[in-house]
Amino acid sequence: MKKRKTIALLLLIIGITLSIAFIMKIEFPQGFEAYFKREYYNQFGPLAISVELLIASYYLFIGHKKTNFTLALFGFTALLDPFFNQIGLFKSIVPLYGTIILAICALLCLWLAFANTYKLKRLSNLAAFFSVVLGVIVELFFNYL
């Protein structure tokens, strides 16, 4: 339990730090019309990924039964962003430092989720598939659609 909470706190600190960094990069436009343009909402993609990390790490900290699902959801979302960027589907606006940190955290979270390291509710095949689908939807919503 001590190790689980330590990892969760580390992920929480990373999530809070990245959330603050991504919030500071958001440009709030002048005028009412600019809030209805796609470019404005695209800025929130990196923040959405870091908020997923915050939620997953909080669930890990308290030992919630949906921890493995949220860890997998974050992991797939964070890894799909650079993957879609590499295949040319869209140009990611996540900075390089954010991509590297989020990818490392995503790999750790996916390992924790699929290995069921802390004996929380096991991730079913359907839940794993659903986390991939939700990750794709989140990425496409903030970057492509």
Side-chain angles (χ1 to χ4, degrees), residues 76-91:
F76 286 125
T77 305
L79 290 177
L80 284 169
D81 187 73
F83 175 73
F84 287 159
N85 185 35
Q86 285 298 313
I87 64 172
L89 190 58
F90 59 78
K91 180 162 175 22

Side-chain angles (χ1 to χ4, degrees), residues 55-104:
I55 293 168
S57 57
Y58 174 72
Y59 275 9
L60 181 62
F61 185 79
I62 64 170
H64 195 274
K65 65 180 182 176
K66 297 288 185 184
T67 299
N68 288 332
F69 175 75
T70 57
L71 287 171
L73 175 61
F74 160 72
F76 286 125
T77 305
L79 290 177
L80 284 169
D81 187 73
F83 175 73
F84 287 159
N85 185 35
Q86 285 298 313
I87 64 172
L89 190 58
F90 59 78
K91 180 162 175 22
S92 176
I93 63 169
V94 179
L96 182 60
Y97 69 88
T99 301
I100 293 169
I101 293 170
L102 288 172
I104 292 168

Side-chain angles (χ1 to χ4, degrees), residues 32-49:
F32 191 65
E33 288 179 9
Y35 286 98
F36 294 104
K37 293 186 178 174
R38 188 80 203 145
E39 296 82 29
Y40 173 70
Y41 293 103
N42 287 353
Q43 300 179 91
F44 290 94
L47 181 62
I49 297 171

Side-chain angles (χ1 to χ4, degrees), residues 2-23:
K2 199 174 196 183
K3 192 174 182 182
R4 175 179 57 89
K5 288 192 176 191
T6 303
I7 291 172
L9 280 175
L10 179 66
L11 290 173
L12 269 170
I13 291 168
I14 292 170
I16 290 169
T17 305
L18 288 176
S19 294
I20 291 170
F22 295 152
I23 285 174

